[in-house]
Amino acid sequence: MSLARRVIPCLDVDAGRVVKGVNFANLRDAGDPVELAHRYDRAGADELTFLDVTASSADRETTYDVVRRTAEQVFIPLTVGGGVRSVADVDRLLRAGADKIGVNTAAIAAPQLLADIAERFGRQVLVLSADVRRVTGGGTGDDEGNVSSGFEVTTHGGRRGTGMDAVAWCARAAELGAGEILLNSMDADGTRTGFDLDLIRAVRAVVDVPLIASGGAGRVEHFPPAVTAGADAVLAASVFHFGEFTIGEVKTELGNHGHPVR
């Protein structure tokens, strides 16, 4: 794991525009992804994450075009996710300029996809994107076992439960070949109340791969606790898009708390 903690802006893209909402609902326009990517590259972002939040087949060509144009504007690693269903999708996105690929729903349906991607392109390319929500009463469970950790993996922007324990799923994904885990708290997403530290700690306890904390950033003070809880990188969207604070201010706050940054 890298000692330097990374700060990553996230571009949630719908039909070629960056959008942001609360708990993946009530989306509002946040700008042009290519312009924002260029701005973040100059502002000192360590990486950039690009998520196609609708990932419909009708918008797929739009996505490849936007990825190409975004990749031309940045000189930092670019992770692209949303609607990735096959090794061929990964190949095409890498050819369009992505450096890493995020996989979520398709891997839940067919975990072997993770192993296939890692074998073909290397672990460093594969990011498990886990949209996680809290559940009470242990969950219903399925072949993966009940939701004993209190955290469940979801699909469709957090709207559909899977019955799968999120902590166990992250551990299994790492074993299958995921080189990194993007851990998104659906409960905290867009609320600006802080990262879900319990979730970060729970997943950190079972995986050795780098962990990206996502969901809930509202103030610069929210970032150091996420790293202390076990995150190797911290991700945020709206607070950067709407200029509430800068990447530089987050890095300064992390440094002030003894967390080295790039």
Side-chain angles (χ1 to χ4, degrees), residues 1-6 183 195-205 211-213 220-235 250 253-261:
M1 283 179 279
S2 171
L3 292 176
R5 306 308 179 185
R6 292 166 287 152
L183 188 62
F195 294 94
D196 190 328
L197 304 181
D198 292 336
L199 174 61
I200 297 168
R201 291 188 195 101
V203 175
R204 175 79 286 159
L211 198 57
I212 305 168
V220 291
E221 293 86 357
H222 288 152
F223 292 87
V227 172
T228 300
D232 299 278
V234 284
L235 179 146
V250 172
E253 184 73 8
L254 288 171
N256 288 341
H257 284 76
H259 301 302
V261 294

Side-chain angles (χ1 to χ4, degrees), residues 60-240:
R60 184 50 59 198
E61 277 307 317
T62 300
T63 299
Y64 287 122
D65 178 61
V66 175
V67 169
R68 286 187 199 100
R69 292 188 292 117
T70 301
E72 290 170 359
Q73 291 293 325
V74 300
F75 300 94
I76 51 179
L78 175 64
T79 298
V80 179
V84 176
R85 300 178 180 90
S86 67
V87 170
D89 288 340
V90 174
D91 184 62
R92 193 168 180 191
L93 284 168
L94 292 174
R95 291 175 187 274
D99 298 289
K100 294 188 280 189
I101 307 298
V103 183
N104 182 358
T105 303
I108 293 170
Q112 180 61 32
L113 177 62
L114 296 174
D116 292 344
I117 293 170
E119 182 178 356
R120 171 82 180 273
F121 304 105
R123 293 179 67 104
Q124 76 284 352
V125 163
L126 178 58
V127 180
L128 175 76
S129 182
D131 291 338
V132 179
R133 69 182 179 192
R134 288 175 178 262
V135 292
T136 57
T140 56
D142 62 359
D143 291 341
E144 297 297 317
N146 65 4
V147 186
S148 58
S149 71
F151 295 104
E152 180 186 21
V153 178
T154 70
T155 61
H156 301 79
R159 293 185 295 276
R160 189 173 300 177
T162 63
M164 292 171 58
D165 187 292
V167 177
W169 170 235
C170 288
R172 185 180 180 198
E175 291 173 357
L176 286 167
E180 195 165 53
I181 295 173
L182 171 54
L183 188 62
N184 187 36
S185 168
M186 302 309 300
D187 302 299
D189 177 73
T191 63
R192 306 189 185 191
T193 56
F195 294 94
D196 190 328
L197 304 181
D198 292 336
L199 174 61
I200 297 168
R201 291 188 195 101
V203 175
R204 175 79 286 159
V206 299
V207 302
D208 293 326
V209 299
L211 198 57
I212 305 168
S214 171
R219 306 195 308 269
V220 291
E221 293 86 357
H222 288 152
F223 292 87
V227 172
T228 300
D232 299 278
V234 284
L235 179 146
S238 58
V239 288
F240 293 144

Side-chain angles (χ1 to χ4, degrees), residues 7-9 40-48 76 247 251:
V7 179
I8 306 174
Y40 290 139
D41 187 48
R42 289 181 299 167
D46 297 302
E47 296 185 13
L48 193 65
I76 51 179
I247 292 164
K251 289 190 172 188

